[in-house]
């Protein structure tokens, strides 16, 4: 192993060092090649832990510069960290009534504005004042959990939310309220009414922020163009501009999407519950509707790259790219491991224990080969290239991946007639959410103009009330 690594360094990295010293290679080029080196990725190991939350941590994110990390937890508190020194710089009560699922630092705000979403359906803003106190207020509301927020790249004002009620909302902090864009419904194949799609993920294409993608309780990753929607909430159409789905999952009734990620080249990464991870190129889209697909079109489409070995069943897991040019794909797993694949050929290059139970979210550093992760444990874990002899892949890797595969197959649905399956699914969804899905009128889509409550909270919260819930058992983020 040592000999192999030495050969890789000698032939792949020493020339880069020489070119940098001779000023043939720029510092930026050297940094990119260093961060994307497989030798470096194989050496990633635990750098430290950030302790402070009193519930499982559901979300972590670096700020634009990468020097600050924000986290949110079941304890309903938001914490800011200087991750390099492993110190907490701020903690405040978010004002949420249930577990925090997402926390995002708005860019170009001097890290003073933080948006959050929660199992209570609220989307809230925390503003750090000059005296160190934090003022929080509600920006919008969903009728169900809000798992995902998407911030427009480089914008200090614009972001989106999606929730289990199927609603997609658009926010402009200069206005202070949400605009309801549309509700997402299943594609109508029979005379029965379409089903509400419970949304788990929303992301914005970094190359063209006019496009955003959503995923939820069916097999399709839907892409939309924000230019087709009015800001006054008078939109009633939920028709996307493109769809992405693996060929074998088309018209499937037993899978749903938990995580999405866009690469810098607009490739779309899709993680399915109790299925696998797929990478779609832009030319692999199915068009705006699966109902009008012709078999020739389906057969002519190139197959997406597939990433396997993990298991994504018990929680709403994210998926991420890693590396300066997104050279790697990474995901957490129900087995408590972190999986990192080489993007181009889906080869596993690093597998490591990341949590005692489940790893939910992995956040890459914006500039360096570091990452932060969270899961059922009450801490945030930091990972960086470390000196040591630990193998990149554990000796029992085959046992781990085979166990994940077997557990996934054991949970696969029994073969039933399609009409029976659809009937059972409708009954389960109606019982779970207590309402009958329906089309929404224009009045239902009007903006939520309630101001919401405002809280003035000490910059360092000491009196904390903790939740004893474990929403992982009912498919929460944690």
């Amino acid at each position: 192993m040592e000999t192999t690594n030495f050969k890789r360094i000698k032939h792949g990295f020493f020339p880069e060092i020489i070119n940098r010293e001779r000023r043939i290679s720029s510092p930026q080029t050297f940094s990119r090649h260093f961060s994307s080196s497989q030798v470096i990725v194989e050496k990633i190991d635990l750098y430290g832990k950030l302790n402070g939350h009193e519930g499982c941590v559901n979300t972590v994110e670096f700020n634009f510069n990468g020097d600050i990390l924000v986290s949110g937890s079941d304890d309903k508190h938001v914490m800011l960290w200087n991750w390099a020194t492993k110190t907490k710089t701020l903690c405040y009560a978010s004002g949420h009534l249930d577990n925090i699922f997402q926390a995002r630092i708005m860019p170009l705000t001097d890290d003073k504005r933080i948006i959050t979403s929660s199992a209570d359906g609220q989307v809230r803003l925390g503003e750090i004042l000059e005296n160190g106190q934090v003022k929080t207020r509600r920006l919008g509301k969903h009728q169900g959990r809000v798992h995902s927020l998407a911030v427009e790249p480089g914008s200090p004002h614009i972001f989106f939310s999606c929730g289990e009620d199927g609603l997609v909302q658009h926010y402009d902090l200069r206005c202070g309220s949400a605009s309801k864009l549309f509700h997402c419904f299943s594609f109508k194949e029979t005379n029965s009414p379409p089903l509400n799609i419970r949304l788990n993920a929303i992301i914005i294409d970094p190359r063209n922020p006019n496009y955003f993608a959503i995923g939820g309780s069916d097999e399709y990753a839907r892409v939309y163009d924000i230019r087709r929607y009015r800001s006054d909430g008078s939109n009633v159409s939920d028709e996307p501009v493109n769809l992405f789905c693996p060929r074998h999952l088309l018209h499937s009734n037993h899978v749903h999407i938990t995580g999405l990620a866009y690469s810098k080249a607009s490739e779309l990464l899709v993680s399915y519950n109790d299925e696998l991870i797929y990478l779609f190129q832009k030319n692999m889209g199915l068009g705006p509707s699966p109902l009008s697909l012709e078999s020739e079109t389906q057969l002519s489409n190139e197959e997406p790259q597939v990433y396997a070995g993990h298991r994504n069943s018990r929680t709403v897991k994210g998926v991420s790219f890693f590396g300066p040019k997104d050279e790697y794909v990474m995901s957490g797993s129900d087995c408590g491991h972190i999986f990192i694949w080489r993007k181009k050929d889906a080869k596993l290059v690093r597998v490591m224990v990341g949590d005692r139970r489940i790893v939910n979210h992995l956040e890459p550093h914006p500039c360096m080969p570091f990452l932060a992760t969270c899961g059922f444990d009450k801490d945030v874990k930091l990972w960086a290239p470390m000196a040591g002899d630990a193998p990149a892949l554990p000796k029992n890797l085959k046992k781990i991946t085979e166990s994940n595969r077997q557990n996934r197959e054991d949970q696969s649905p029994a073969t039933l007639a399609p009409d029976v399956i659809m009937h059972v699914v409708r009954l389960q969804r109606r019982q779970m959410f207590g309402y009958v899905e329906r089309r929404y009128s224009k009045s239902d889509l009007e903006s939520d103009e309630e101001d919401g409550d405002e809280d003035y909270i000490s910059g360092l919260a000491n009196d904390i009330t903790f939740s004893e819930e474990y929403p992982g058992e009912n498919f929460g983020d944690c």
Side-chain angles (χ1 to χ4, degrees):
M1 179 64 69
E2 289 296 323
T3 302
T4 302
N5 282 339
F6 178 77
K7 288 180 179 179
R8 288 179 184 171
I9 295 173
K10 178 180 178 181
H11 295 291
F13 209 68
F14 280 178
E16 291 295 333
I17 297 176
I18 294 173
N19 288 338
R20 185 190 65 173
E21 295 301 314
R22 297 173 61 187
R23 297 186 179 181
I24 296 176
S25 176
S26 68
Q28 293 81 3
T29 300
F30 176 81
S31 176
R32 286 197 300 269
H33 288 174
F34 174 84
S35 299
S36 64
S37 167
Q38 186 173 322
V39 176
I40 297 301
V41 175
E42 291 173 350
K43 286 294 183 181
I44 290 178
D45 212 333
L46 186 63
Y47 169 73
K49 300 179 181 180
L50 304 178
N51 294 294
H53 284 292
E54 295 294 333
C56 66
V57 183
N58 301 317
T59 177
V60 289
E61 191 208 28
F62 291 100
N63 65 347
F64 180 79
N65 294 325
D67 57 333
I68 299 295
L69 187 74
V70 63
S71 62
S73 165
D74 285 3
D75 61 21
K76 301 183 280 291
H77 279 67
V78 174
M79 295 186 182
L80 296 181
W81 308 86
N82 181 330
W83 65 268
T85 60
K86 306 183 185 71
T87 56
K88 179 173 59 180
T89 60
L90 181 67
C91 171
Y92 71 90
S94 63
H96 285 291
L97 306 176
D98 210 332
N99 307 336
I100 296 174
F101 285 161
Q102 283 259 273
R104 294 282 181 260
I105 300 174
M106 295 299 292
L108 305 178
T109 62
D110 198 25
D111 305 325
K112 301 296 186 184
R113 286 187 163 189
I114 302 165
I115 55 172
T116 55
S117 66
S118 167
D120 64 7
Q122 294 187 74
V123 175
R124 298 184 67 87
L125 171 67
E127 295 183 273
I128 304 174
L129 306 179
E130 292 298 326
N131 60 6
Q133 291 184 326
V134 180
K135 180 179 72 172
T136 72
R137 62 187 175 96
R138 195 180 83 184
L139 297 174
K141 186 76 168 64
H142 287 259
Q143 300 302 315
R145 300 180 181 188
V146 185
H147 293 282
S148 187
L149 302 171
V151 178
E152 183 176 298
S155 171
H157 310 295
I158 307 297
F159 70 97
F160 297 79
S161 70
C162 68
E164 290 184 352
D165 55 0
L167 175 63
V168 176
Q169 299 196 80
H170 177 270
Y171 302 80
D172 187 332
L173 294 180
R174 291 166 295 190
C175 301
S177 63
S179 296
K180 298 180 180 181
L181 297 183
F182 60 86
H183 280 80
C184 185
F185 290 92
S186 62
F187 294 101
K188 188 175 180 180
E189 299 184 24
T190 66
N191 292 329
S192 60
L195 299 175
N196 182 76
I197 298 299
R198 306 187 308 274
L199 297 177
N200 297 321
I202 183 168
I203 53 168
I204 299 174
D205 186 343
R207 293 189 69 181
N208 188 346
N210 289 312
Y211 294 102
F212 64 94
I214 58 175
S217 58
D218 69 1
E219 66 271 32
Y220 301 108
R222 296 162 166 83
V223 177
Y224 297 85
D225 188 339
I226 185 61
R227 293 169 294 187
R228 299 176 64 176
Y229 295 91
R230 301 185 184 94
S231 60
D232 61 1
S234 61
N235 310 290
V236 293
S237 173
D238 65 335
E239 184 180 49
V241 296
N242 212 345
L243 299 172
F244 293 88
C245 179
R247 186 181 306 166
H248 68 284
L249 294 181
L250 286 172
H251 310 296
S252 172
N253 297 313
H254 66 276
V255 297
H256 63 265
I257 294 169
T258 68
L260 298 169
Y262 266 122
S263 74
K264 298 178 180 68
S266 297
E267 301 161 306
L268 184 60
L269 196 61
V270 184
S271 181
Y272 285 89
N273 175 270
D274 241 355
E275 237 276 337
L276 304 177
I277 297 171
Y278 299 88
L279 178 67
F280 296 92
Q281 306 298 324
K282 292 180 67 175
N283 63 349
M284 296 181 184
L286 304 175
S289 172
L291 306 181
S292 60
L293 287 176
E294 297 180 1
S295 58
E296 294 80 7
T297 303
Q298 294 180 23
L299 293 174
S300 65
N301 281 344
E302 183 182 351
E303 289 286 350
Q305 182 66 268
V306 185
Y307 304 89
H310 70 304
R311 190 178 182 214
N312 174 14
S313 174
R314 294 186 59 197
T315 58
V316 179
K317 292 181 186 64
V319 66
S320 301
F321 290 99
F322 184 72
K325 292 186 177 180
D326 303 322
E327 294 89 349
Y328 302 92
V329 168
M330 58 183 185
S331 173
S333 175
D334 287 358
C335 62
H337 287 81
I338 297 168
F339 287 75
I340 303 179
W341 299 266
R342 198 162 54 199
K343 185 180 74 172
K344 64 180 180 181
D345 57 7
K347 178 184 177 182
L348 269 173
V349 297
R350 186 74 174 102
V351 176
M352 49 197 174
V353 176
D355 193 278
R356 290 176 297 173
R357 296 181 64 184
I358 297 175
V359 179
N360 281 330
H361 183 70
L362 301 92
E363 179 71 14
H365 190 276
C367 309
M368 297 181 286
F370 301 156
L371 62 138
T373 65
C374 61
F376 270 29
D377 291 342
K378 297 178 182 180
D379 56 29
V380 176
K381 294 181 177 65
L382 304 171
W383 308 83
M386 307 289 288
D389 299 327
L393 301 175
K395 294 180 180 180
N396 62 338
L397 176 63
K398 186 175 181 180
K399 180 180 179 181
I400 294 170
T401 57
E402 180 62 22
S403 175
N404 287 336
R405 184 193 65 80
Q406 188 63 49
N407 289 335
R408 183 170 59 248
E409 292 181 355
D410 288 345
Q411 294 297 319
S412 61
T415 302
L416 299 172
D419 57 336
V420 175
I421 294 175
M422 288 302 296
H423 179 67
V424 173
V425 169
R426 290 191 189 102
L427 288 177
Q428 288 178 334
R429 289 177 177 174
R430 289 171 183 174
Q431 291 172 356
M432 183 180 300
F433 293 99
Y435 65 88
V436 178
E437 292 82 359
R438 60 185 176 86
R439 284 287 179 179
Y440 284 76
S441 66
K442 179 178 178 180
S443 61
D444 292 316
L445 295 175
E446 290 178 355
S447 298
D448 183 356
E449 296 179 352
E450 297 180 31
D451 292 331
D453 55 311
E454 293 192 359
D455 299 318
Y456 289 84
I457 304 166
S458 172
L460 289 174
N462 296 314
D463 299 324
I464 304 177
T465 302
F466 305 121
S467 169
E468 298 298 330
E469 287 187 323
Y470 238 45
E473 304 304 327
N474 54 9
F475 302 102
D477 276 34
C478 181

